[in-house]
Amino acid sequence: MEHFFDSFFVLSTIFALCLGRIVKVPAGPLIRVEGRDIVIPCNVSHFDGPPEQDFDWELTQDSGSKMQVVSTLDSSFTDKSYEDRVNSGEIAVERTSASSVVLKIKHVKLTDSGKYKCLTPSTDASISGNYDAEVELRVISDSLKVAAPQSRSKTGSITEGSSFDLRCTASQDSVEGTRLSVTWEVRRGAASEKILSLNPDGGVMAGSDYSQRYQAGGVRLELLGNGVYRLVVSQALPTDEGTYVCVAGQWVKDESGAWKNILEKSTDVGEVKVTPIAPSLMVSVGGGNVTLNADSTLELTCTVATANSDAIRMEVTWYVSPTPSADQGSSRLLVHMDRDSVVNGSDAVTVSRVSADTTRLVFREVEKTDTGYYFCKVVGWMPQSGGTWYKAAEKTSTSVRVTVTSLEPTYSVLLSAPTTPHFSDDPTELECKVTDVQNANGTRMTVSWHYRKPTPADLPVSDDLIATMDQNWDLQAGEKYKERVGKGHIVLTKLDPAVFKLQVLHTRDTDRGEYFCTVSAWAQTKDHSWVKTKDVSSTILPVSWEQEDPSLTVVATPLKAVFSGGDPFEMACKVTGKKLKNPKYSVLINVEEPSSRKIRKIMSMSQDSVTRLEEWNEKDRLDSVVLEKSSADEFRFRMYGTQISDAGYYYCEVTAWTPDAGNTWSEATRGISNKVKIDFENTGPAFNVSLHSDKLTVYPGQTVKIECVITVQGAAAGTDDISYDVKWSVSTEDKSVFLVSMDRWGVRTLTPRNGTSDCSLERIKPRTYRLSIHNTEDTDRGSYHCSVTPWLKTSDGAWQKSLEIQSEPVHLKVDFAMLESLKYPLLFGAGAALCVGLLAMLIGYIGARFCCKNALQDDMRGNRRLVSMEMD
């Protein structure tokens, strides 16, 4: 029973201790290098009392003596031997929270070694837990050394693809718990990049950009003994250029078992410059221009010269271009040989490697089409670690001219007409014959037929292709004759290799004119394709017959006249045709605007009576125009609800269409009627538009305002009875650009601008619109116009659109503000010069007044005595 109570007491005590105050410091020992800083944290938990706790730090040295270092509670706690260091801040305790602090020691000394105890005065209701914790600090001497033995390192300038190595020595005194690391870095400007590191645990780690090269053996870190570490870089790249640095570090393990760096030193080992091979690459094609006969063999050499040629492999490609410039876009690839000497060519074109720096092109059985400018393109490939390659240089040679000559075939072409028409719809037959043929072995002959419409001598001549026969004797019809050829109304035949025939089964009136044929000679190439070598055309052969040309008379008659806006307008167009066989008519209604004389198409009707709106795009009036066919030769045009803007000269344009034997319709002739005028009695007001600008010359960045003022003369009208569409535009030497508009409802339409300037439009008065150009620039110069379209309200409440009125232009000029930009520098310079001059005068006055007065008086006395003696 007694043992039971003893056990219960022990367990209760342990349980209480577990729930009591806990003071924690890092697990030791802490190893630091002399002269470095150290921070030792301490925190307390599971305590009673106020949240802010106080801490005392004590040191027990190796000799056994205890020293009071610093306290958060009592400033007199510090031992006298530490007062100077505490007062200077070299030793300090800082709070990190209400229940934790850190002890900071700057420039730690060897005598600072010992066991540091963190104590917390009790604030608990009952004593439980631990009130202090202890950690050991070991201060070791600075024995880390790193140096660069320059005599044993291969540095300086090297060629791309070469290898180099660098060495450095690193060591430290053997201290338990410390490890040495060595890191190689390269510095380019202010930035450094890690290459390889020998970690404190003995492992090697590569930088992110060197990981692949390290795994392939391109960069290595070797331990040569006696503290010598060598960095070896194979097959140097241009990016390897820089200053190489050797960094040595001293490491210890922290309480978590991870390595912590306590000291680091570095030294510059050497600077490496890598010379790229690209600038040294030279490519040339041997020999000069070459002339040879067809079916001969062409041989050309491509020679390459470069630095470090032993490490580089060449990829060679041959091209032929129609122009002297070595442009691959317009060139033809002949043959290609990769860096492993694998050739991708043909039986006729091959390339071989004559030596390490020379390749030969062999082109067998050249043809005339092989004439051109030949050049070679060379790509230099450098090996990388791991068996990969990268493109190090690329160069294209200058071209050489190769001319291939051959004998062209000679022949003549005769055109005759076995059958000619006497009337329309008669057949026509033309025969094209090739004669006097020489040097045409293996040559294929094809023909093209052409029609030329008779034109006056002062007008240019244009030819229409009827049909052509290509090198494969396939027939291709011209654009205007596709339908007739497709339906068999025009037939092309080949009687024998030298005779071709054209048959028009039903000759039309529009077929009258001049005909000729062109015979083409084709030669077959090595790839069995055909190339045109020559064209010979026959003489012109006219085809015509006596017949009076068809004519068309069109008369326009107004059926309903217009006197004021809103009245309907009706016009009849009567057509009278002569020499037309079963014609049909298509009609187009045009209007000529009275002021600009511009022709605008309104509405049309095809020969099949299909109507269509042409340039009539007023959305609210699409249904206000009607075009009807009242009889086979009469058309009527109506316009409802006419506007003042509809004023002009209206007329009909009629085209006559006649059928041919294939029931296809063709244009026979056309006619234009007289003009019918729509005019309105001017009973309303008259309008005028003028522009006023606040400035005609501006500087960049300024704002210019141009006002468009509308004046009304004649019959008075209220403000509510008149509204306006206003449009602004600017004209330069070559174009006119729309800027902004405001319709009569006040809706603005603005064109996007490319520059930094901007424009706005506002209505500042009932008849005044102001255009503002903000932040002007040079592109804003030009002639500005304001176009106004008035709308008048009639007595029945409808709106009438008047004719557009355009103002005279305002010319805006944008100058560079030279004087404005120099104004402030000149004022500041003059002010500074004036201040310096006044200061110099003041200094001179003070010096003359106070420093030189006595000396001047003595000189004056001496001068007076001398003068007196001379007078005596």
Side-chain angles (χ1 to χ4, degrees):
M1 189 68 175
E2 182 178 354
H3 292 292
F4 173 76
F5 283 110
D6 291 341
S7 301
F8 179 76
F9 177 76
V10 171
L11 291 174
S12 301
T13 304
I14 294 173
F15 183 73
L17 289 174
C18 291
L19 294 180
R21 176 186 295 254
I22 299 175
V23 179
K24 287 185 179 180
V25 293
L30 304 178
I31 303 175
R32 295 295 184 270
V33 180
E34 180 184 9
R36 305 293 170 173
D37 299 342
I38 184 171
V39 176
I40 305 176
C42 177
N43 68 83
V44 60
S45 61
H46 300 87
F47 57 87
D48 296 333
E52 183 172 283
Q53 296 289 301
D54 288 305
F55 297 84
D56 298 334
W57 285 92
E58 294 181 354
L59 168 63
T60 303
Q61 296 179 335
D62 296 338
S63 60
S65 58
K66 293 185 178 181
M67 311 290 290
Q68 294 179 343
V69 182
V70 67
S71 172
T72 62
L73 178 63
D74 185 6
S75 60
S76 62
F77 176 80
T78 304
D79 191 272
K80 291 185 178 181
S81 60
Y82 284 93
E83 285 183 353
D84 292 340
R85 297 176 70 184
V86 172
N87 293 335
S88 64
E90 186 176 340
I91 298 177
V93 59
E94 294 182 2
R95 288 189 180 275
T96 56
S97 69
S99 60
S100 61
V101 296
V102 292
L103 174 65
K104 291 186 176 181
I105 304 176
K106 298 179 181 178
H107 313 300
V108 67
K109 302 178 181 179
L110 293 174
T111 56
D112 292 330
S113 298
K115 295 181 179 180
Y116 285 80
K117 181 182 291 186
C118 177
L119 303 96
T120 59
S122 175
T123 60
D124 302 330
S126 61
I127 297 177
S128 62
N130 66 312
Y131 288 82
D132 59 66
E134 191 175 70
V135 61
E136 181 182 0
L137 173 64
R138 297 179 188 175
V139 182
I140 62 176
S141 301
D142 184 359
S143 61
L144 183 63
K145 297 179 182 178
V146 60
Q150 297 289 345
S151 60
R152 299 298 301 274
S153 297
K154 182 181 177 182
T155 61
S157 179
I158 62 172
T159 305
E160 179 183 0
S162 303
S163 300
F164 65 92
D165 64 272
L166 302 165
R167 303 185 184 190
C168 77
T169 59
S171 63
Q172 67 166 359
D173 292 344
S174 178
V175 178
E176 182 182 358
T178 63
R179 292 286 182 88
L180 179 69
S181 70
V182 175
T183 301
W184 282 96
E185 298 178 349
V186 58
R187 185 174 65 245
R188 305 180 187 94
S192 295
E193 184 178 3
K194 183 181 293 186
I195 304 173
L196 291 177
S197 295
L198 178 62
N199 297 330
D201 56 5
V204 178
M205 180 180 293
S208 58
D209 291 342
Y210 289 85
S211 177
Q212 186 175 359
R213 294 179 66 183
Y214 170 69
Q215 294 176 3
V219 290
R220 306 190 306 275
L221 179 58
E222 300 177 352
L223 280 67
L224 303 182
N226 297 325
V228 179
Y229 300 85
R230 180 170 68 176
L231 174 69
V232 180
V233 180
S234 303
Q235 297 164 345
L237 305 175
T239 55
D240 292 330
E241 186 170 287
T243 301
Y244 284 75
V245 182
C246 182
V247 181
Q250 198 168 19
W251 300 75
V252 296
K253 282 191 175 181
D254 58 13
E255 58 180 332
S256 64
W259 287 102
K260 177 180 178 63
N261 183 272
I262 61 173
L263 184 61
E264 189 174 272
K265 293 183 180 180
S266 63
T267 182
D268 290 355
V269 177
E271 183 177 2
V272 175
K273 294 184 177 180
V274 181
T275 303
I277 67 169
S280 65
L281 181 63
M282 304 296 293
V283 181
S284 61
V285 177
N289 297 334
V290 179
T291 301
L292 69 166
N293 295 325
D295 296 330
S296 300
T297 298
L298 171 66
E299 293 189 6
L300 297 173
T301 59
C302 181
T303 304
V304 181
T306 183
N308 201 6
S309 58
D310 295 336
I312 194 171
R313 285 191 185 180
M314 300 299 176
E315 173 189 353
V316 180
T317 308
W318 281 92
Y319 295 90
V320 57
S321 171
T323 59
S325 62
D327 181 14
Q328 299 176 26
S330 60
S331 303
R332 175 167 59 100
L333 188 148
L334 295 174
V335 65
H336 171 262
M337 182 171 64
D338 64 13
R339 60 175 180 265
D340 297 322
S341 298
V342 177
V343 178
N344 182 11
S346 63
D347 295 338
V349 185
T350 60
V351 64
S352 60
R353 197 177 298 277
V354 180
S355 61
D357 58 355
T358 304
T359 58
R360 177 184 291 119
L361 169 72
V362 178
F363 197 160
R364 300 177 183 87
E365 298 180 359
V366 294
E367 300 174 349
K368 186 175 181 181
T369 56
D370 297 323
T371 297
Y373 295 86
Y374 287 68
F375 62 93
C376 63
K377 173 189 171 184
V378 175
V379 178
W381 294 86
M382 294 291 293
Q384 294 187 110
S385 305
T388 60
W389 297 79
Y390 73 94
K391 186 188 296 186
E394 182 177 318
K395 195 70 173 288
T396 301
S397 71
T398 57
S399 59
V400 296
R401 170 72 176 176
V402 174
T403 304
V404 181
T405 60
S406 63
L407 294 176
E408 291 184 348
T410 60
Y411 55 91
S412 302
V413 178
L414 299 178
L415 180 62
S416 59
T419 304
T420 58
H422 300 285
F423 302 98
S424 177
D425 226 18
D426 286 351
T428 302
E429 185 176 316
L430 304 178
E431 186 177 273
C432 186
K433 188 174 183 179
V434 183
T435 61
D436 302 330
V437 181
Q438 295 181 359
N439 302 323
N441 293 332
T443 301
R444 178 174 290 183
M445 300 291 184
T446 62
V447 67
S448 299
W449 293 93
H450 300 269
Y451 165 77
R452 180 178 297 172
K453 186 175 181 179
T455 55
D458 56 343
L459 293 180
V461 176
S462 63
D463 298 331
D464 293 331
L465 175 66
I466 300 173
T468 183
M469 190 180 294
D470 63 12
Q471 66 272 23
N472 298 317
W473 290 315
D474 293 331
L475 183 64
Q476 298 176 2
E479 189 66 28
K480 293 184 178 180
Y481 293 87
K482 277 186 178 181
E483 184 178 359
R484 297 174 68 184
V485 172
K487 292 183 176 182
H489 299 162
I490 296 179
V491 181
L492 281 80
T493 56
K494 179 174 178 290
L495 301 181
D496 59 52
V499 179
F500 305 92
K501 182 179 290 187
L502 171 69
Q503 292 175 292
V504 182
L505 303 183
H506 303 279
T507 309
R508 299 176 179 177
D509 293 336
T510 54
D511 291 334
R512 290 184 297 176
E514 298 174 338
Y515 291 79
F516 66 93
C517 63
T518 300
V519 175
S520 302
W522 299 79
Q524 194 172 27
T525 61
K526 292 186 294 292
D527 58 356
H528 304 292
S529 62
W530 292 90
V531 179
K532 185 187 293 186
T533 59
K534 193 172 185 180
D535 282 331
V536 177
S537 298
S538 68
T539 57
I540 299 296
L541 180 64
V543 174
S544 183
W545 60 92
E546 295 296 331
Q547 181 181 353
E548 186 178 351
D549 291 334
S551 62
L552 201 63
T553 303
V554 184
V555 178
T557 305
L559 302 180
K560 289 186 180 180
V562 177
F563 301 99
S564 62
D567 292 344
F569 168 72
E570 185 173 357
M571 177 179 70
C573 294
K574 180 68 174 177
V575 183
T576 303
K578 294 181 179 180
K579 303 298 181 180
L580 292 171
K581 183 180 179 180
N582 301 326
K584 284 187 177 181
Y585 302 106
S586 63
V587 63
L588 173 64
I589 306 300
N590 297 325
V591 60
E592 180 181 339
E593 298 179 356
S595 57
S596 61
R597 316 304 293 181
K598 178 182 176 182
I599 306 298
R600 183 160 63 105
K601 300 176 183 179
I602 298 179
M603 197 173 189
S604 65
M605 177 183 290
S606 68
Q607 67 269 26
D608 298 324
S609 300
V610 178
T611 59
R612 186 179 69 175
L613 294 176
E614 298 291 340
E615 298 176 3
W616 184 264
N617 51 11
E618 299 187 27
K619 296 181 180 180
D620 298 335
R621 303 179 62 204
L622 296 179
D623 298 332
S624 61
V625 290
V626 178
L627 180 59
E628 297 176 344
K629 185 175 183 180
S630 57
S631 65
D633 56 358
E634 184 173 338
F635 302 88
R636 291 194 177 187
F637 171 71
R638 296 187 188 92
M639 180 186 296
Y640 300 100
T642 56
Q643 303 279 355
I644 299 177
S645 58
D646 296 329
Y649 300 92
Y650 289 74
Y651 62 94
C652 304
E653 182 178 344
V654 178
T655 303
W657 301 82
T658 56
D660 58 11
N663 291 324
T664 59
W665 293 89
S666 60
E667 179 182 339
T669 185
R670 64 176 57 192
I672 297 176
S673 72
N674 57 301
K675 296 178 181 180
V676 176
K677 183 179 181 181
I678 292 183
D679 199 3
F680 298 92
E681 296 179 357
N682 189 10
T683 60
F687 300 92
N688 188 27
V689 182
S690 60
L691 294 184
H692 304 281
S693 176
D694 59 346
K695 55 187 76 172
L696 297 179
T697 301
V698 296
Y699 299 112
Q702 291 184 336
T703 299
V704 62
K705 298 179 180 180
I706 307 175
E707 293 183 356
C708 179
V709 181
I710 306 169
T711 56
V712 182
Q713 299 174 354
T719 306
D720 296 336
D721 296 335
I722 305 178
S723 59
Y724 306 95
D725 290 341
V726 179
K727 181 175 67 175
W728 285 87
S729 59
V730 58
S731 301
T732 56
E733 296 176 356
D734 55 348
K735 61 181 179 179
S736 178
V737 179
F738 167 73
L739 295 176
V740 63
S741 67
M742 179 185 294
D743 64 13
R744 59 194 178 109
W745 308 108
V747 178
R748 297 182 181 86
T749 303
L750 183 65
T751 299
R753 299 173 67 84
N754 296 326
T756 59
S757 65
D758 195 8
C759 67
S760 61
L761 178 60
E762 56 183 337
R763 180 181 178 183
I764 59 175
K765 293 180 181 180
R767 296 190 182 95
T768 304
Y769 295 81
R770 181 164 62 197
L771 172 70
S772 300
I773 304 174
H774 311 278
N775 194 21
T776 55
E777 55 186 2
D778 183 63
T779 56
D780 293 322
R781 57 185 173 84
S783 300
Y784 286 78
H785 303 266
C786 174
S787 301
V788 177
T789 302
W791 288 77
L792 300 177
K793 192 173 185 181
T794 61
S795 58
D796 58 356
W799 287 90
Q800 281 286 324
K801 182 180 179 181
S802 299
L803 296 175
E804 184 181 81
I805 309 167
Q806 186 169 0
S807 69
E808 292 295 327
V810 167
H811 304 283
L812 181 64
K813 183 179 180 183
V814 181
D815 284 345
F816 177 68
M818 177 67 73
L819 181 59
E820 188 71 16
S821 62
L822 296 177
K823 179 174 66 177
Y824 289 108
L826 291 174
L827 291 176
F828 291 152
L834 180 60
C835 293
V836 171
L838 293 174
L839 181 61
M841 293 174 61
L842 180 61
I843 294 173
Y845 174 76
I846 294 173
R849 181 71 176 172
F850 299 103
C851 299
C852 303
K853 181 177 180 180
N854 295 332
L856 183 60
Q857 290 177 355
D858 293 341
D859 292 342
M860 290 176 65
R861 294 191 191 100
N863 290 338
R864 284 198 296 270
R865 288 195 298 271
L866 291 173
V867 171
S868 300
M869 293 173 65
E870 290 175 359
M871 291 178 64
D872 293 341

